[in-house]
Amino acid sequence: MGRPPSNGGPTFRFNASEVGEMEAVLQGHHYSVPSREILDALALRFSSSAERSGKVEVTWKQIWNWFQNRRYALRARAARQSAPVQPNMPAMPQHDQSVLRNVAQAPHPQAFHPKEAQPSATTQSVGSNAPKNSLLEFEAKSARDGAWYDVAYFLSHRAIESGDPEALVRFSGFGPEEDEWVNIRRHVRLRSLPCESSECAAVLPTDLILCFQEGKEQALYFDAHVLDAQRRRHDKRGCRCRFLVRYDHDQSEEIVPLRKICRRPETDYRLHQLHA
Ligand SMILES: [Zn+2]
């Protein structure tokens, strides 16, 4: 996992036939990221095509990024279908820290229902809004590139005398060779949420967001802050608004569409207010 370029070079794009092939693979894998072997095979095949051979080498990481990003988009759609916003929900930001503390102490923390993981004081209100049978899902920040990745499993945890406890994380779509020990307090949190078009009003200046930064070599999800929001009239393609963001890791600024933004679960209460 190399550090992505931040100099705003040309953006890598898959062509239509490559996208078609990856769509088929994603469907065949029931919308989970395929194994490294399959990603490698796709990278090799794409790189040796007539269009790319000798010019552009497609890496497995670029392909992994495509799958990851596509999954985010599909998850947003699935979430909208299965969990309509309930209009009368009280504003109730979730408390990541209390959830995470429970996770670190549990034997199989990857499988959590909100009712078991939340302190009883918040279970009633938060639980009633959660889709039934849903699991809490986490993302973790990789020390290798500073980007956030979905957590597949928490494999272990350990106390550190001098600081915060750490968890050994298996990243979703990656193998054991990419496992990392991460600081639970600072680098593990509830997953950020992809935004549907109707949710753009919940993205406000000064917000911390997870933003998809596309570079020449790869595209990754990084922490960023919203500096400004240009609201535009939506059309049948959905949200046309534009957001000026500044990435935390390199201080670069970019104007991005809503589809590149994942908002923090703490902003859920705004949606409830909007729909009230
Ligand atoms: Zn919008």
Side-chain angles (χ1 to χ4, degrees):
M1 292 193 267
R3 198 174 174 83
S6 55
N7 54 9
T11 300
F12 173 84
R13 296 226 180 278
F14 289 106
N15 63 40
S17 72
E18 290 166 346
V19 168
E21 193 167 340
M22 290 188 291
E23 290 278 9
V25 170
L26 186 62
Q27 219 166 22
H29 283 76
H30 306 289
Y31 299 100
S32 62
V33 177
S35 70
R36 176 67 187 273
E37 286 75 26
I38 291 171
L39 299 179
D40 280 336
L42 285 169
L44 193 63
R45 189 151 71 250
F46 292 170
S47 297
S48 55
S49 70
E51 185 185 330
R52 298 207 185 269
S53 183
K55 284 173 278 186
V56 182
E57 193 186 346
V58 181
T59 66
W60 73 271
K61 190 63 187 292
Q62 287 168 326
I63 293 173
W64 179 88
N65 275 313
W66 182 91
F67 278 102
Q68 182 81 347
N69 194 34
R70 192 81 183 94
R71 283 180 62 240
Y72 265 101
L74 292 169
R75 201 164 65 203
R77 200 175 306 157
R80 183 184 53 172
Q81 284 161 0
S82 67
V85 172
Q86 296 178 7
N88 296 320
M89 272 291 298
M92 178 60 75
Q94 298 203 4
H95 300 284
D96 283 13
Q97 296 305 333
S98 59
V99 174
L100 295 174
R101 219 169 290 129
N102 290 335
V103 166
Q105 291 161 0
H108 297 292
Q110 68 272 27
F112 264 92
H113 191 276
K115 279 191 183 307
E116 290 150 18
Q118 296 272 353
S120 58
T122 58
T123 295
Q124 275 192 319
S125 46
V126 174
S128 66
N129 186 47
K132 285 204 162 46
N133 301 321
S134 75
L135 304 178
L136 278 185
E137 294 183 307
F138 295 89
E139 59 193 16
K141 186 176 178 175
S142 166
R144 300 181 201 191
D145 54 19
W148 290 84
Y149 297 87
D150 287 355
V151 172
Y153 303 104
F154 293 99
L155 299 163
S156 183
H157 65 93
R158 65 185 181 191
I160 303 290
E161 263 184 48
S162 54
D164 299 329
E166 295 184 335
L168 182 61
V169 166
R170 171 73 43 83
F171 292 109
S172 182
F174 288 92
E177 68 279 2
E178 306 282 357
D179 290 349
E180 281 184 47
W181 285 99
V182 296
N183 180 309
I184 293 173
R185 193 189 307 274
R186 293 169 56 207
H187 297 152
V188 178
R189 65 189 182 192
L190 287 175
R191 268 188 204 170
S192 302
L193 307 166
C195 297
E196 282 295 310
S197 279
S198 60
E199 297 176 359
C200 66
V203 179
L204 302 177
T206 76
D207 276 1
L208 168 68
I209 55 167
L210 191 61
C211 196
F212 195 60
Q213 186 186 48
E214 293 183 272
K216 191 180 177 193
E217 296 295 322
Q218 57 186 0
L220 297 172
Y221 282 96
F222 289 104
D223 276 339
H225 283 80
V226 179
L227 300 181
D228 192 25
Q230 293 177 354
R231 309 292 175 185
R232 295 185 186 168
R233 182 185 294 274
H234 290 195
D235 64 18
K236 59 176 180 291
R237 287 171 296 178
C239 176
R240 313 303 295 165
C241 305
R242 290 294 179 269
F243 300 86
L244 175 62
V245 304
R246 180 186 291 147
Y247 293 98
D248 289 6
H249 67 291
D250 62 6
Q251 296 296 303
S252 66
E253 295 180 10
E254 188 183 4
I255 295 171
V256 299
L258 186 69
R259 66 180 170 79
K260 292 193 177 186
I261 291 177
C262 296
R263 59 184 179 81
R264 296 296 306 140
E266 292 82 8
T267 60
D268 270 353
Y269 74 95
R270 293 186 193 146
L271 290 178
H272 305 313
Q273 288 175 340
L274 283 170
H275 290 86

